[in-house]
Amino acid sequence: MCGIVGYIGPRSAVPILIDKLRRLEYRGYDSAGVAVLEHGTCTVVKTVGKINDLAALLEQHPLDVNIGVGHTRWATHGQPSTPNAHPHTGNSGKLAVVHNGIIENYVELRRELEGQGHVFRSQTDTEVIAHLLEEKLDNGAEGDLYRALQLAAQDLEGAYAVAVVAESCPDRLHVVRKDSPLVIGLGEGENFIASDPTAILPYTRRVLYLENGDVGVITREGVALSDLQGNPIHRDVTEITWDVGAAEKGGYDHYMIKEIHEIPDAIRHTLRGRVNSDGKLAVTDLGLSDDDIRALKRIYIVACGTSYYAGVVGKYLFERILRVPTECDIASEFRYRDPIFEPDSLLIVISQSGETADTLAALREAQRHGVKVLAIVNVIGSSMYRESDVNFPTWAGPEICVASTKAYVTQLVCQYLLAFHFAVVRGQMTKEEADRLVGLLLQVPGQVQQILDGEDIYRELAENFMESRDFFFLGRGLDAAVSLEGALKLKEISYVHAEAYAAGELKHGPLALMWTDVPVFVTATQLELYDKTLSNIKEVKARRADVIALVRQSNTDIDEHVDWVIRIPETDDILMPFLTIIPPYLLTYWLSYALGREIDQPRNLAKSVTVE
Ligand code: M6R
């Protein structure tokens, strides 16, 4: 996904821009570039490929400059190529633009601008912004770039975070934002721009999060903000508290395995402030009144990818504990299926990034129908965080690997706390029972650690299944819900085809695929469903598949039926998802490692999907 950086100050800008671009590499990209003002002249250097390719180009053409913007592009309109890479310039070449998002009306704008004599050199939607700015500078803004940007933004439809350098403004950077994140980092006598605060963290912790429709002009000394009409506005400074070290690999080979090992702490942090020092449930500052909670008639959970699979667990949970009908939907389906919104319902959006385009659109659609939205996001200040009615954040810390792991587990924590809290308020669970379950939840970080301490079996499994091209994940109830996430993880990182099925579905189709040596990962921890799952294991084994069974510590009868057994600590059935997801995560990591995959940045995938 695209990334924007920018710098203005006394230091040499190029090394800072390159460093910041490297910090955004994890988002995935196909080309990169910078635009700087060199002796007052707008100079663009860009290339298809990696940041190292850009850095090599810049070494051939050293630029001693103090102001510039940079970009990593992930192709949406037009192939990955150097002409399509950002920054883009207009006819005059005197200003350069970097952009994240999509300009939906770029075809019409381009046609109009071409009619006015503008010559386009790329296939991108972004290039229209550069030409449009030039047009506004001449017509309406009287050479004032700040005003030109306000006017140009009024003509743009879609999502954008834009940063501009221009020869007419050698001491200023300009920015505008709508539906695509942009932050300004505040330094001493210098300032920074980034689409993701991770890029700014080594330089400053003080940031301004821009809101939709904010236009900004940034000098070395300060920042002025206005709305699109030019009315001055104010945004509070946010102090970023997470540690920059937390965003680095910390001795592990990959972010993925580091982040899996951070799961115990991520759970503890997410429980903090919601469980009191006596270990009792204490969700106090939710922003939903007890009357709202009592009135609830329906819950919608909407999300994408891993966050959606966390929501599938939430559906089981809310329905089982609250007896409130709960729908869990994929955001890209939900937003276009004209859902029926009922009064007294709550829509929960789940998102690690808080920026996923489809989930954000679903949030807005629900609000348009008067439905209250509660956001479970990991990025404070993200679009979903800002736009939802109620926030109940995960505290997983920055997640760098494209594959979501610790965020998923903390998304479960938030949903469990909400379910327990709602159930107590609605009188469906006694406070004592909620506290008993919270007591067990407090033991989960230690139990996850026990599983992490037994990593050897996953390396062994990885060695054994290196040649396998297909994997199946089976389970029932909450075990089925977690299997979905296990299969997604395996396919996205190892590139091995993986499918998850509710075990009861076997006879309705997938049994045809069970034959000699096909690996089948069966999770069988739900006590009430154990006998049924065991029957499914026997059916699969009868077809000579290779069965890996994930069972409770106390299970003594599984060994004779399967090829491999993984035992995990005991807890209440309902809390098992916190533990059953860890083995598939470890198996995925070690299999992908054995296969030599690009673990942290799997092909074709990006960390934050801000376009639909
Ligand atoms: O930031 P979000 O949680 O909204 O992202 C949703 C999905 O794009 C994300 O979970 C994706 O499926 C990951 N690659 C999963 O590992």
Side-chain angles (χ1 to χ4, degrees):
M1 197 58 53
C2 303
I4 289 178
V5 300
Y7 175 75
I8 181 165
R11 295 195 254 177
S12 182
V14 169
I16 294 178
L17 294 175
I18 292 292
D19 175 57
K20 288 167 73 187
L21 287 174
R22 286 195 205 284
R23 290 173 194 280
L24 296 182
E25 275 192 296
Y26 71 90
R27 296 161 63 98
Y29 66 102
D30 52 57
S31 53
V34 296
V36 298
L37 294 177
E38 187 189 25
H39 309 304
T41 302
C42 185
T43 305
V44 173
V45 180
K46 58 185 185 178
T47 181
V48 73
K50 293 291 174 190
I51 306 291
N52 281 345
D53 302 313
L54 177 66
L57 272 182
L58 286 162
E59 268 171 35
Q60 288 165 25
H61 180 166
L63 293 164
D64 186 19
V65 295
N66 308 106
I67 177 171
V69 294
H71 193 264
T72 46
R73 173 174 188 259
W74 189 65
T76 54
H77 294 74
Q79 298 299 310
S81 69
T82 299
N84 285 341
H86 300 211
H88 289 282
T89 53
N91 269 6
S92 67
K94 291 184 174 179
L95 61 81
V97 167
V98 290
H99 161 228
N100 284 1
I102 288 182
I103 304 302
E104 284 166 2
N105 59 338
Y106 85 102
V107 175
E108 298 89 298
L109 286 172
R110 180 169 171 151
R111 206 173 295 133
E112 215 175 293
L113 287 158
E114 281 172 338
Q116 290 162 332
H118 289 266
V119 179
F120 281 75
R121 288 179 297 269
S122 77
Q123 305 158 307
T124 65
D125 54 337
T126 301
E127 195 183 341
V128 298
I129 304 172
H131 292 278
L132 189 60
L133 273 175
E134 287 184 345
E135 202 52 41
K136 297 293 179 192
L137 274 172
D138 291 343
N139 300 302
E142 290 156 9
D144 176 350
L145 185 58
Y146 195 24
R147 183 72 194 129
L149 196 52
Q150 291 158 357
L151 293 173
Q154 291 176 28
D155 289 354
L156 298 177
E157 288 169 20
Y160 49 84
V162 174
V164 190
V165 280
E167 292 182 7
S168 60
C169 304
D171 55 353
R172 278 164 286 165
L173 291 169
H174 288 79
V175 291
V176 63
R177 178 259 196 234
K178 179 179 166 260
D179 291 342
S180 197
L182 199 64
V183 294
I184 300 173
L186 305 173
E188 295 295 327
E190 59 182 355
N191 287 310
F192 307 84
I193 302 170
S195 48
D196 177 335
T198 314
I200 287 182
L201 272 184
Y203 302 94
T204 180
R205 297 183 161 276
R206 298 175 64 239
V207 301
L208 294 175
Y209 285 99
L210 297 193
E211 301 279 346
N212 278 346
D214 287 0
V215 191
V217 56
I218 302 152
T219 61
R220 288 180 177 203
E221 290 77 30
V223 178
L225 297 176
S226 76
D227 62 18
L228 295 188
Q229 281 65 45
N231 303 306
I233 49 173
H234 169 82
R235 299 286 169 224
D236 290 335
V237 176
T238 303
E239 187 83 25
I240 294 182
T241 49
W242 20 284
D243 184 7
V244 72
E248 290 169 0
K249 284 199 200 109
Y252 292 94
D253 285 344
H254 298 95
Y255 285 113
M256 181 178 182
I257 191 69
K258 171 178 179 270
E259 287 163 5
I260 292 171
H261 278 266
E262 285 170 351
I263 288 173
D265 274 345
I267 298 173
R268 288 186 191 102
H269 293 157
T270 304
L271 288 171
R272 195 171 291 158
R274 292 140 176 187
V275 172
N276 67 22
S277 51
D278 297 335
K280 310 270 192 262
L281 181 68
V283 176
T284 49
D285 56 348
L286 187 58
L288 272 183
S289 72
D290 287 359
D291 283 346
D292 285 342
I293 294 170
R294 280 188 209 103
L296 269 183
K297 301 243 169 357
R298 184 169 291 273
I299 297 173
Y300 309 89
I301 305 175
V302 181
C304 299
T306 283
S307 300
Y308 164 71
Y309 290 136
V312 174
V313 173
K315 174 184 159 66
Y316 275 82
L317 193 69
F318 290 122
E319 292 199 331
R320 191 186 291 184
I321 295 183
L322 298 178
R323 311 304 301 156
V324 171
T326 304
E327 295 175 26
C328 181
D329 235 316
I330 294 168
S332 56
E333 289 297 312
F334 183 83
R335 65 183 288 194
Y336 293 119
R337 77 169 164 83
D338 195 11
I340 300 164
F341 289 103
E342 291 181 20
D344 298 321
S345 36
L346 176 71
L347 184 125
I348 300 178
V349 288
I350 306 179
S351 174
Q352 187 285 128
S353 62
E355 300 292 350
T356 303
D358 286 316
T359 312
L360 192 55
L363 176 161
R364 290 176 182 155
E365 182 66 6
Q367 284 178 332
R368 212 165 57 77
H369 286 84
V371 172
K372 211 168 239 190
V373 176
L374 182 151
I376 298 177
V377 299
N378 193 43
V379 180
I380 304 302
S382 61
S383 300
M384 283 179 223
Y385 182 86
R386 291 197 310 275
E387 292 189 29
S388 58
D389 302 285
V390 183
N391 274 295
F392 200 60
T394 52
W395 297 109
E399 193 180 61
I400 304 297
C401 176
V402 165
S404 207
T405 53
K406 60 177 179 168
Y408 169 85
V409 178
T410 55
Q411 289 164 349
L412 298 186
V413 174
C414 285
Q415 293 182 92
Y416 276 74
L417 290 173
L418 287 174
F420 298 159
H421 175 65
F422 286 7
V424 172
V425 170
R426 292 164 62 93
Q428 284 154 311
M429 186 184 272
T430 61
K431 181 69 171 47
E432 289 65 36
E433 175 60 0
D435 288 341
R436 182 188 76 81
L437 289 168
V438 166
L440 292 176
L441 193 46
L442 287 167
Q443 293 174 19
V444 162
Q447 294 175 319
V448 170
Q449 191 58 54
Q450 280 180 41
I451 302 173
L452 294 174
D453 291 343
E455 242 173 298
D456 288 351
I457 184 166
Y458 306 98
R459 294 181 207 231
E460 222 180 299
L461 284 166
E463 287 291 313
N464 192 71
F465 290 109
M466 267 179 76
E467 306 298 326
S468 302
R469 298 277 48 88
D470 300 285
F471 251 87
F472 291 89
F473 287 77
L474 301 177
R476 285 173 178 259
L478 284 167
D479 288 339
V482 175
S483 298
L484 294 167
E485 165 62 1
L488 173 68
K489 212 54 44 184
L490 192 71
K491 71 184 119 190
E492 74 177 320
I493 309 301
S494 72
Y495 312 153
V496 173
H497 168 241
E499 280 195 65
Y501 271 98
E505 274 290 289
L506 261 184
K507 291 194 189 70
H508 302 285
L511 201 52
L513 295 172
M514 302 296 154
W515 62 61
T516 313
D517 294 342
V518 169
V520 184
F521 191 106
V522 188
T523 304
T525 66
Q526 299 296 297
L527 292 176
E528 276 186 10
L529 300 167
Y530 179 73
D531 290 343
K532 305 262 176 226
T533 311
L534 186 57
S535 301
N536 296 130
I537 288 175
K538 290 177 186 166
E539 284 160 3
V540 168
K541 213 40 233 166
R543 272 85 189 168
R544 296 203 173 85
D546 241 350
V547 176
I548 306 157
L550 175 59
V551 294
R552 293 165 166 271
Q553 198 66 54
S554 56
N555 184 305
T556 49
D557 66 353
I558 195 77
D559 301 66
E560 61 185 285
H561 303 291
V562 302
D563 305 276
W564 302 77
V565 182
I566 301 170
R567 289 193 162 79
I568 54 174
E570 294 289 334
T571 188
D572 195 284
D573 269 25
I574 208 161
L575 297 174
M576 270 296 172
F578 291 103
L579 306 181
T580 53
I581 193 53
I582 308 300
Y585 280 172
L586 290 170
L587 174 61
T588 294
Y589 178 77
W590 288 111
L591 185 61
S592 308
Y593 188 93
L595 292 169
R597 303 300 192 222
E598 311 96 311
I599 291 180
D600 286 332
Q601 288 178 46
R603 68 185 179 207
N604 306 336
L605 298 179
K607 182 66 182 163
S608 173
V609 184
T610 53
V611 291
E612 60 171 304

